[in-house]
């Protein structure tokens, strides 16, 4: 075999080795790219699922009979509600309490305040806020449908409702509450009752209704038996 033939064989062998190494590197690179692609896809999918789990409870309807999405009360609305509670006493309930800001604000003013909310995420968050603000001993938050709760033992009732629910809620409250109760409606008034007090403008408007003006509230007179002469 001549030297020329030997060199050509060596060159062919070296070319085959280089090509094989190149193919191996391409295979490893493809595997790495595939792995990164799977990781990225899994990460994006997991993030979307987590966002859905966290956000959905805050924007889905909080009440079953009507569509009532969570819309936080503005600072002005909260102040207007507190204004309607001046010189009032007794237990307070917020129907559809959302993130608990009305309940917490009332508790800071000395009320024993309770919130009813169907959305468990909002209830848990409300409990955390009450603990953080140091009023957890004067507040309670319950996961419940307002139509399944009796409000008969509350004297101060706050409602953030929508027009579709107000007629039925008006009837429910009139049947359940005592004569000394005050109902405070935010954003939308009750359809039949005439408010005793109104404050605020636009979406911050608050209406207060004293139930004694919308139902016959008779006070029972004590019968005094005259003393018999000795």
């Amino acid at each position: 075999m001549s030297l020329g033939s030997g060199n050509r064989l060596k060159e062919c062998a070296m070319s085959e080795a280089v090509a094989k190494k190149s193919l191996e590197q391409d295979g490893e690179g493809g595997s790495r790219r595939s792995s990164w692609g799977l990781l990225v896809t899994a990460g994006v999918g997991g993030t979307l699922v987590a966002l859905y789990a966290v956000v959905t409870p805050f924007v889905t309807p909080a009440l079953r009979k009507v569509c009532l999405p969570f819309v936080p009360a503005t600072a002005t609305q909260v102040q207007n509600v507190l204004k309607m509670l001046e010189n009032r006493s007794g237990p307070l309930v917020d129907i559809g309490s959302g993130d608990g800001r009305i309940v917490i604000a009332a508790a800071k003013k000395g009320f024993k305040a309770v919130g009813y909310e169907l959305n468990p995420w909002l209830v848990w968050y409300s409990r955390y806020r009450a603990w953080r603000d140091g009023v957890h001993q004067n507040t309670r938050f319950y996961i419940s449908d307002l139509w399944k709760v009796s409000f008969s033992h509350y004297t101060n009732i706050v409602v953030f409702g929508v027009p579709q629910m107000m007629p039925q809620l008006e009837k429910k409250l009139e049947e359940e509450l005592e004569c000394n109760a005050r109902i405070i409606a935010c954003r939308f008034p009750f359809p039949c009752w005439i408010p005793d007090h109104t404050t605020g403008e636009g979406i911050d408007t608050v209406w207060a209704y004293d139930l004694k003006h919308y139902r016959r509230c008779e006070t029972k007179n004590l019968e005094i038996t005259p003393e018999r002469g000795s």
Side-chain angles (χ1 to χ4, degrees), residues 124-174:
W124 296 331
Y125 179 63
S126 299
R127 291 170 179 168
Y128 162 73
R129 289 190 61 184
W131 171 81
R132 184 193 65 185
D133 291 0
V135 293
H136 58 283
Q137 294 183 343
N138 291 329
T139 60
R140 294 290 184 273
F141 296 95
Y142 299 105
I143 303 171
S144 184
D145 187 333
L146 76 86
W147 306 110
K148 299 178 181 179
V149 177
S150 173
F151 302 106
S152 58
H153 57 287
Y154 296 102
T155 54
N156 302 284
I157 300 88
V158 181
V159 180
F160 278 81
V162 292
Q164 298 94 317
M165 67 177 280
M166 300 305 271
Q168 187 174 356
L169 183 58
E170 182 180 73
K171 181 179 179 181
K172 174 180 171 66
L173 295 177
E174 188 168 356

Side-chain angles (χ1 to χ4, degrees), residues 19-80:
K20 184 178 180 181
K21 185 175 182 181
S22 177
L23 289 172
E24 290 176 351
Q25 289 177 346
D26 289 343
E28 292 176 357
S31 298
R32 286 195 295 268
R33 286 194 295 272
S34 178
S35 298
W36 277 110
L38 290 174
L39 288 174
V40 170
T41 302
V44 172
T47 302
L48 291 175
V49 171
L51 285 173
Y52 178 83
V54 172
V55 173
T56 297
F58 285 85
V59 298
T60 51
L63 300 175
R64 292 173 182 170
K65 290 195 175 185
V66 294
C67 181
L68 184 58
F70 168 56
V71 180
T74 66
T76 303
Q77 283 176 331
V78 175
Q79 292 305 312
N80 288 340

Side-chain angles (χ1 to χ4, degrees), residues 9 31 43 82-83 89-90 95 97 110 122 158 193:
L9 289 174
S31 298
L82 294 178
K83 187 182 296 185
S89 60
I95 300 175
S97 54
L122 292 174
V158 181
W193 292 342

Side-chain angles (χ1 to χ4, degrees), residues 195-209:
D196 295 281
H197 309 280
T198 305
T199 187
E201 298 178 350
I203 64 170
D204 295 325
T205 303
V206 170
W207 299 266
Y209 306 85

Side-chain angles (χ1 to χ4, degrees), residues 184-195:
I184 301 171
C186 306
R187 290 201 179 99
F188 298 99
F190 286 98
C192 298
W193 292 342
I194 299 173

